[in-house]
Each structure stands twice: as structure tokens, then as C-alpha cells.
Amino acid sequence: MSRLTGKVAIVTGAGRGIGRSIAEVFAREGASVVATSRGSDADQLGGRPGLEYQQLDVAKDADWQRVVADVLDRHGRIDVLANNAGIITYQPVHELTVEDWERVVAINQTGTWLGMRAVLPAMLGQGSGSIINVSSIWGSAAVAGGHAYHATKGAVRNMSKNAAITYAQNGIRVNSLHPGFISTPLTDAQDPEVNDYVVGQTPMGRAGKPEEIAQGAVFLASDDSSFMTGAELVIDGGYLAQ
């Protein structure tokens, strides 16, 4: 498999779950991958063929500037950004604290914006690039609670469309990826009743696997999707079709 041969990619939230799978599948497809996370949970990715690890708090502009400068210094280009890092809470509006609101917005929304802003100058200079912003089915539909998560993932959806039309003439494609319920450490830590409900509402009757999302990310990163920008790639077992 070599759909990403020669491409340089940055993947955020790569310590576990969907982000880790995206990083690993990108590398298998031939990309040089900089796998990032806020903590040290992805450092074991370093040393594998095509994979290296860097610490990155997506909510900090200084971290983005450091990582992007380093990648450009060593690789000379950035072809793909997979903005995957995210967190979720399930507080309804009247129970959501300012602190929790700001934390979710900082990581899910501001982090996505900072990532795009950091890599776009390089992509503009080379006249090409693919940005994949991971939203969610909850960027288009609702579940009880989850107010801040809905707000940020809906924002990611529309931020992606704006960037897509802004940079379409510059050879830069921007698409959003919308997973349904995926079995990851993030969802494993949720209330089992919430998980059972969402899986029960999924027409295919099961949770998705991280690699099923990663394969969609490969498509968006590759030249196979060369006429695709501003789109929403939904991988959700049929949930949003209802």
C-alpha cells in the first residue's frame, strides 16, 4: 500500500484511539508521519517506520509554531494535517461550567483553528495540501447533554467549509471527517448507558473501529480525493441516514 508515499503528515491526538490509528495507517501507506499528543501517551510511536513523536498541546499557539517549524526544517514540506485531537463532556447547558466550556472550546475548536493557521503558510508556498478536520456525527445531530461538544464539532464542520472555499484556488483541500460511535479509550470511559444507546441507534448495530475512520482519513489525504473539498465524510454505520 502506497497511497501516501512521499507525503509528510502531522496527526494530532495520536496517543490513542482514532488519532493513533490514523497515524499508523498513514505510515503504512508511505507517509512520513509526525504523531503528536499533549502528554507522553504517544511517545512509543516514535521509532516505528515512518512515525515520529512530538509533544503538542493543540490549544497552545507556541506549541504549533514549534512543531511546524521543526517539521519544515527536517522535511521541507507539510502535505497533510489531520486535526484529530478532541475531548467530550456531557453537561447540559444549565450545568455546564465556564471552565468546562472553555476547555472544550480550546481543544476542539481553537486547536483546530490554530492547526490550520500554522500549516497554511507552508501549504500556500508549495501550492498543495490536504487538511482533515475531525468533527463528529454530533456536529450535525444532537444527543442529550453534550452542549459544548456539539457547539465545537459544529464549528469544526463549518470552519472546514470556510477554509475549503478560501483556499480552493491555492491547491489546498479542506474536508471534515465525521465518525459515529467508535470503540476507543474515550468512549470506553463514558457512561455505559450512553454508549449502549448510541450503538442501539446505529443501523449497523455495532460500534465502529478506529481503523475504519483511519481509512477514510487516508482517502482524504491521498490524491484519490483530488476533486473533493469542503465535504463531510461521514463514517457512522448509518446513524445520520435516519
Side-chain angles (χ1 to χ4, degrees):
M1 295 188 287
S2 57
R3 287 179 288 174
L4 302 181
T5 296
K7 295 187 184 295
V8 178
I10 298 174
V11 180
T12 70
R16 57 184 185 169
I18 291 172
R20 186 184 187 91
S21 188
I22 290 174
E24 291 175 338
V25 175
F26 275 12
R28 288 208 309 264
E29 290 286 351
S32 296
V33 181
V34 179
T36 74
S37 76
R38 187 170 44 174
S40 61
D41 52 355
D43 57 5
Q44 63 268 37
L45 288 170
R48 297 190 189 185
L51 277 170
E52 58 190 80
Y53 169 75
Q54 289 209 36
Q55 188 277 335
L56 169 65
D57 183 337
V58 297
K60 294 182 177 179
D61 184 45
D63 274 20
W64 274 109
Q65 297 306 317
R66 170 181 53 79
V67 169
V68 167
D70 180 73
V71 172
L72 290 174
D73 182 60
R74 291 183 299 105
H75 296 282
R77 60 187 299 113
I78 298 171
D79 299 289
V80 181
L81 169 64
N83 264 324
N84 165 77
I87 59 174
I88 190 169
T89 62
Y90 280 103
Q91 295 100 324
V93 177
H94 71 287
E95 295 178 359
L96 186 64
T97 67
V98 171
E99 292 76 16
D100 281 339
W101 168 267
E102 291 179 342
R103 183 169 63 98
V104 175
V105 169
I107 294 172
N108 294 3
Q109 184 173 341
T110 303
T112 297
W113 168 66
L114 286 173
M116 290 195 291
R117 190 179 72 155
V119 303
L120 276 166
M123 290 182 174
L124 285 167
Q126 65 200 32
S128 64
S130 174
I131 296 175
I132 304 159
N133 293 325
V134 179
S135 179
S136 168
I137 55 172
W138 301 143
S140 302
V143 66
H147 179 73
Y149 189 75
H150 287 310
T152 56
K153 290 304 187 178
V156 168
R157 175 176 178 252
N158 282 322
M159 289 162 60
S160 302
K161 292 181 184 298
N162 173 272
I165 62 171
T166 301
Y167 300 104
Q169 297 299 313
N170 303 106
I172 300 167
R173 300 182 297 105
V174 186
N175 295 287
S176 56
L177 183 56
H178 298 254
F181 185 87
I182 308 300
S183 181
T184 69
L186 180 71
T187 55
D188 290 345
Q190 293 180 165
D191 184 338
E193 290 186 4
V194 173
N195 295 348
D196 291 344
Y197 171 79
V198 181
V199 172
Q201 296 296 308
T202 300
M204 291 184 72
R206 66 170 177 87
K209 302 172 184 176
E211 182 153 338
E212 291 175 307
I213 306 303
Q215 292 297 337
V218 169
F219 170 68
L220 294 176
S222 75
D223 295 338
D224 292 342
S225 58
S226 58
F227 196 54
M228 189 172 178
T229 196
E232 303 165 32
L233 180 56
V234 177
I235 306 175
D236 70 348
Y239 190 96
L240 290 182
Q242 302 175 100

